[in-house]
Amino acid sequence: HKDGHYLWVQSSGRLVGCDDRGRPARAVGTIIDITEVKQAEMRRHQQQELLNLVNSVQRSFLIDRNIQDACDALFRPLLKITESQFGFIGIVRRGEDGQPRLEIPSISSLDASTAERDAVSTGHNVVLTDLDNLFGQVVTHPTTVLRNAPWGRNEGGLLLPGQPHLESFLGIPLSLNGQALGMIALGNRLEGYDQDLMDLLQPLVLTLGTLLHARELEDRRLEVEAQLKRHATQDTLTGLYNRRRFFEAMGDQLLQSRRYKAQMTLALMDVDHFKQVNDQYGHGGGDAVLRALADVLRQEMRDTDVVARIGGEEIALLLTCTDVDSAMAALERLRLSVERMQVPFDGEVIRVTASIGAMGWHDQLRDAAHWMHCADMALYRAKAGGRNRSEVDLMA
């Protein structure tokens, strides 16, 4: 049509009469505008495709609980249904500063000139932190943005990797209870975007908004569970394991040792004259020393070792798959690292040393309490011997 829209017509005709040479004299026929009929037929087809897509997204999310994969799977059918050249589904996240940002796992474009009309993902994981643009307007207000005019580079928008120049654009927020959780972005539909297409997409918009909300609730639940677990097993000052978690881990390791005959060494470490540190610098100074000590322990000990704060300045270490000789070499390196440690506090530098007592596990030990007692006796000898030293208890 001259105004840029397509028309569907049905044409029929026949030849009428012949001249003296047998050629058709004229042709008569009709051309009927069936645009409304075809549009209704296409709309029904689109609605069925969209319903199938909604069901597919729901099944995908319910099976693997991964909203990102579910959104990624939408690109090919969504662009085909909407006859769009460009599109993405963005998810609203909150940064550490609490400000919203738009995460776009992948960006798809549809090359309408190819016979396959295939969707191509650029493979980029784009994060938009500056939402003062056309994309951001969809999720910050939230509101639907529809524009059937070329989008200039200097109009407050931006170009994403793989994005063509936008001749038309439709941005629909995915929201629940007035809060934007994400958005659908579509671009470059040949006939532009209209209310009919927005109405067509409503079931998908509602479904995605609900799934994003469910994913957000699940993330919050997992975060709360992780926090509760950390509080139950972690020392809040140092970030090391607490006493409860250490004895649980020691029990588990003892079972493994008895089953597989693996060697283990238990060590106890005390900061020397820690009371004097608290008396001179206050408890703030003592806390600074313990946090610095925890950093040294994380640097010096292996990931497989179990390290915990089990008392005020007392540290317990369980060196897995390690005999006494190897353990003593590692503990001596640790002691020297503590001796070199410099802790800045209130314009001064605090220096401390540590005493260490160790005991390797063997069958003559009765249980974990007996093992701990022997390591404690070794620690006592280290302190009695002048502190800032490592001792091993060879007696059961």
Side-chain angles (χ1 to χ4, degrees):
H1 194 272
K2 64 181 180 180
D3 65 3
H5 291 83
Y6 284 109
L7 292 177
W8 289 85
V9 297
Q10 185 178 53
S11 174
S12 62
R14 62 187 178 88
L15 302 177
V16 178
C18 294
D19 60 15
D20 56 358
R21 306 175 69 175
R23 294 178 301 185
R26 58 194 177 95
V28 297
T30 59
I31 295 178
I32 304 173
D33 184 350
I34 60 169
T35 302
E36 290 187 5
V37 175
K38 291 296 293 185
Q39 286 178 340
E41 178 184 318
M42 291 173 63
R43 192 175 297 111
R44 287 193 298 271
H45 180 68
Q46 287 175 322
Q47 288 171 341
Q48 184 59 53
E49 285 189 319
L50 196 63
L51 180 60
N52 294 338
L53 184 58
V54 168
N55 292 333
S56 175
V57 170
Q58 288 176 325
R59 286 195 302 270
S60 174
F61 178 75
L62 290 174
I63 291 173
D64 58 24
R65 310 297 293 175
N66 191 320
I67 189 64
Q68 179 171 314
D69 289 348
C71 290
D72 286 345
L74 285 175
F75 286 128
R76 188 188 303 268
L78 180 59
L79 294 176
K80 181 179 180 181
I81 291 171
T82 62
E83 300 177 321
S84 299
Q85 181 189 11
F86 164 77
F88 68 77
I89 295 178
I91 302 173
V92 175
R93 306 286 193 191
R94 295 280 173 179
E96 294 182 358
D97 57 359
Q99 295 301 310
R101 61 186 184 183
L102 189 63
E103 290 189 4
I104 306 172
S106 58
I107 302 167
S108 292
S109 59
L110 184 66
D111 184 358
S113 65
T114 62
E116 297 81 9
R117 298 176 64 82
D118 194 18
V120 180
S121 172
T122 65
H124 292 274
N125 187 10
V126 179
V127 179
L128 301 182
T129 55
D130 180 9
L131 298 182
D132 185 19
N133 48 62
L134 200 60
F135 293 162
Q137 182 180 348
V138 178
V139 295
T140 54
H141 284 71
T143 184
T144 298
V145 176
L146 189 156
R147 177 166 179 172
N148 289 321
W151 180 9
R153 292 177 179 268
N154 300 319
E155 296 184 63
L158 76 164
L159 292 177
L160 301 176
Q163 174 190 320
H165 181 73
L166 293 181
E167 299 294 332
S168 58
F169 174 76
L170 175 63
I172 304 176
L174 304 172
S175 58
L176 193 68
N177 299 326
Q179 178 185 1
L181 305 172
M183 67 173 288
I184 294 176
L186 299 169
N188 292 357
R189 186 174 189 244
L190 189 61
E191 296 185 49
Y193 298 97
D194 53 31
Q195 186 63 47
D196 287 344
L197 182 62
M198 291 166 55
D199 294 340
L200 177 71
L201 293 175
Q202 273 307 299
L204 180 62
V205 170
L206 293 174
T207 298
L208 286 177
T210 303
L211 294 183
L212 286 175
H213 180 63
R215 179 70 265 175
E216 187 178 67
L217 293 178
E218 180 74 3
D219 289 343
R220 290 178 186 173
R221 183 186 66 80
L222 293 174
E223 182 179 352
V224 170
E225 288 183 355
Q227 287 178 349
L228 291 174
K229 184 176 180 180
R230 284 195 299 270
H231 291 159
T233 62
Q234 193 177 67
D235 175 60
T236 55
L237 176 64
T238 63
L240 302 175
Y241 282 141
N242 58 20
R243 184 183 185 90
R244 171 186 172 183
R245 180 67 186 101
F246 181 80
F247 282 99
E248 288 177 351
M250 187 164 66
D252 293 340
Q253 290 297 328
L254 277 176
L255 290 176
Q256 295 294 320
S257 177
R258 287 166 176 163
R259 178 177 299 177
Y260 301 109
K261 305 300 181 183
Q263 294 181 310
M264 293 185 300
T265 300
L266 171 66
L268 298 177
M269 181 174 70
D270 258 4
V271 178
D272 296 328
H273 304 295
F274 189 69
K275 184 177 183 302
Q276 294 180 10
V277 174
N278 281 329
D279 291 343
Q280 182 175 353
Y281 299 100
H283 288 288
D287 290 349
V289 168
L290 292 175
R291 283 192 291 266
L293 176 62
D295 291 338
V296 170
L297 287 164
R298 280 186 281 266
Q299 293 171 8
E300 294 290 340
M301 306 308 292
R302 303 168 301 180
D303 291 340
T304 55
D305 298 328
V306 183
V307 184
R309 180 190 178 200
I310 61 172
E313 73 277 13
E314 189 173 14
I315 304 296
L317 307 99
L318 186 61
L319 289 76
T320 60
C321 301
T322 308
D323 59 32
V324 172
D325 292 337
S326 299
M328 290 306 294
L331 294 170
E332 185 62 15
R333 289 194 300 270
L334 173 61
R335 184 191 64 79
L336 292 173
S337 295
V338 174
E339 186 178 5
R340 291 190 294 266
M341 189 171 68
Q342 299 184 32
V343 184
F345 179 74
D346 200 19
E348 299 186 50
V349 174
I350 306 175
R351 305 193 63 150
V352 296
T353 59
S355 300
I356 303 174
M359 179 67 189
W361 173 261
H362 55 76
D363 292 337
Q364 295 180 13
L365 292 169
R366 295 187 298 273
D367 50 28
H370 188 197
W371 192 15
M372 182 71 73
H373 171 74
C374 293
D376 195 43
M377 293 302 297
L379 175 60
Y380 175 79
R381 286 202 307 275
K383 291 180 178 180
R387 292 185 169 83
N388 192 23
R389 54 188 291 133
S390 303
E391 290 284 349
V392 61
D393 192 340
L394 301 176
M395 301 298 293

